[in-house]
Amino acid sequence: YNGVLQEFAYLSIYGSGQYPINGQVQNTLFERLLPNPFFTWERAQNYNIGMDASFLDNRFDLTLEYFYNNRTKILIPNTGVTPGSSGIADRLPPQNLGEVDNRGFEFALNYNARAGKDLVIRAGINGGYAKNKVVFMSETPGIPDYQRMEGKQIGAFLAFQYDGVFRDVEDINKNTVDYSGVTGQLLPGDMKIRDVNGDNKINADDAVRLDKNNTPTFNYGATFDLRYKGFDMSMFLQGVAKMDYYPRHYLFWGPYQQPYANIYPWNLDFYRGASESGEDRERHSSSYIAAGLADANPNGYFPVLQSWLADNNYGSGLDISQTKYLLNAAYLRVKNITMGYTIPNALLKRYHINRLRIFITGENLFEFSSIKKYLDPESITDGYGWAYPYQRKYAVGINLDF
């Protein structure tokens, strides 16, 4: 009810209120949620095939597995068959209608070698690829095929296709596409949007369902362990690939509300006309003043900064993303490096010490990512990147056994 999936809505839920009838306020009773007494469990069919192998005198060992999962009878709202005009579309319980496929593979390759009695090397890489596809969900009837979730990944972004920025009045005068569906008046700095359906109008019908979401398709890691006499070193790396991130609202919040992480300076690279007056200046001035900016930036990376908090570039209320703001959130991070030295036992016997090891370790040391200067991609756990970033840590210690 009210946007929350009611998994156990098998009974009617009633609410009370008041309504004027014939000039008199009458107490009323209404059904908050229509029941579904036919709820059942989701069904899953899983198939997998794998292999384990070792070769080159057992120096290498390999594990490889392919899997396929088909899940049916997923509880979803049946919005596709009940129009909003019915008055009960938001009161219907979910039904066991959804179906999703998920397939991929996992692997692990390890290497073990010894040179003489003093040198030991161990290394390994592992990873997993998984991509789901929505087979069926109850979608709004009549929506264009290019907006459907079916055939795409769960959570696939719906976005306008960015097509540049109106840099000046002359550029606006050359425009022949109707933007009245998103703004009352085009002004310099506004975003150009691709007319996908070719009707010469920009509106919600021009948004496209992308085959991108903020769930990584590929996760991987690597380990390395080296031991030579009393010296030892280990390393652990972790990363993800095929992950996209849409910063959403706070792309525009930083300059005039609160700066979030290091994305704040990135926000400042937005369009600011070289010469503005009248309505155009009035439109932008509050943003400029709040951001402490007075310089022109007609070639800014972002369109004009809006004083309203809209996902799109215009204040039309259309909650639709822009491909301009999609970021590649893939990363590789050096999670841990540890180096140590174990004192030879011959030097410890007189002190009745069995083992003494001195070590230094570091966590979250380095990161390779195209967005690391804006925010920590590993902290994108809520879709917004507001999670506290991972901290770089160092430690020096001693392992002592008597």
Side-chain angles (χ1 to χ4, degrees), residues 6 8 15 24 27-28 75 79 88 90 99 158 221 224 233 245 249 286 322-323 353 361 368 400:
Q6 301 292 318
F8 304 102
Q24 299 292 325
N27 293 324
T28 60
L75 281 174
T79 56
I88 61 172
D90 61 343
E99 181 178 354
L158 182 68
F224 180 77
M233 187 189 77
Y245 171 60
H249 299 296
S286 61
Q322 304 280 3
T323 54
I353 298 176
T361 183
F368 304 93
L400 183 62

Side-chain angles (χ1 to χ4, degrees), residues 190-395:
D190 278 336
M191 177 183 291
K192 296 179 181 179
I193 297 174
R194 188 170 301 164
D195 180 17
V196 175
N197 61 358
D199 63 355
N200 212 40
K201 298 179 181 179
I202 300 300
N203 52 37
D205 292 337
D206 293 303
V208 176
R209 185 73 62 181
L210 308 177
D211 196 22
K212 296 181 178 182
N213 62 10
N214 58 7
T215 300
T217 303
F218 185 67
N219 294 268
Y220 61 96
T223 60
F224 180 77
D225 189 15
L226 173 67
R227 299 180 184 276
Y228 179 72
K229 295 185 177 180
F231 294 94
D232 64 86
M233 187 189 77
S234 62
M235 181 185 300
F236 171 49
L237 294 84
Q238 173 194 332
V240 304
K242 298 295 292 182
M243 176 179 175
D244 295 279
Y245 171 60
Y246 177 62
R248 296 182 68 82
H249 299 296
Y250 80 72
L251 255 176
F252 299 110
W253 291 10
Y256 55 91
Q257 289 200 352
Q258 299 180 40
Y260 289 100
N262 291 326
I263 206 164
Y264 174 68
W266 188 35
N267 285 346
L268 301 185
D269 189 17
F270 62 89
Y271 173 92
R272 297 187 291 280
S275 59
E276 297 176 340
S277 61
E279 186 177 353
D280 193 16
R281 167 54 69 182
E282 182 179 354
R283 177 193 187 202
H284 303 162
S285 60
S286 61
S287 299
Y288 290 173
I289 295 172
L293 299 171
D295 60 310
N297 190 26
N299 296 314
Y301 179 82
F302 294 111
V304 65
L305 183 70
Q306 302 292 347
S307 58
W308 43 73
L309 298 180
D311 281 347
N312 54 302
N313 187 52
Y314 304 100
S316 62
L318 293 177
D319 187 18
I320 299 176
S321 308
Q322 304 280 3
T323 54
K324 174 68 172 179
Y325 308 139
L326 281 174
L327 303 175
N328 179 6
Y331 71 87
L332 171 62
R333 167 167 278 167
V334 180
K335 293 292 291 184
N336 179 272
I337 296 179
T338 300
M339 293 182 291
Y341 178 71
T342 302
I343 307 298
N345 288 338
L347 300 178
L348 302 175
K349 288 184 178 180
R350 58 183 298 182
Y351 301 106
H352 306 287
I353 298 176
N354 293 329
R355 182 174 180 270
L356 176 61
R357 176 176 174 266
I358 304 171
F359 69 90
I360 181 172
T361 183
E363 296 183 13
N364 302 315
L365 296 177
F366 308 104
E367 182 177 280
F368 304 93
S369 169
S370 62
I371 64 173
K372 67 178 182 178
K373 60 182 178 180
Y374 310 132
L375 74 168
D376 184 349
E378 194 176 356
S379 68
I380 304 173
T381 58
D382 56 2
Y384 288 87
W386 292 353
Y388 197 81
Y390 288 85
Q391 294 178 301
R392 186 176 298 171
K393 300 178 182 179
Y394 301 94

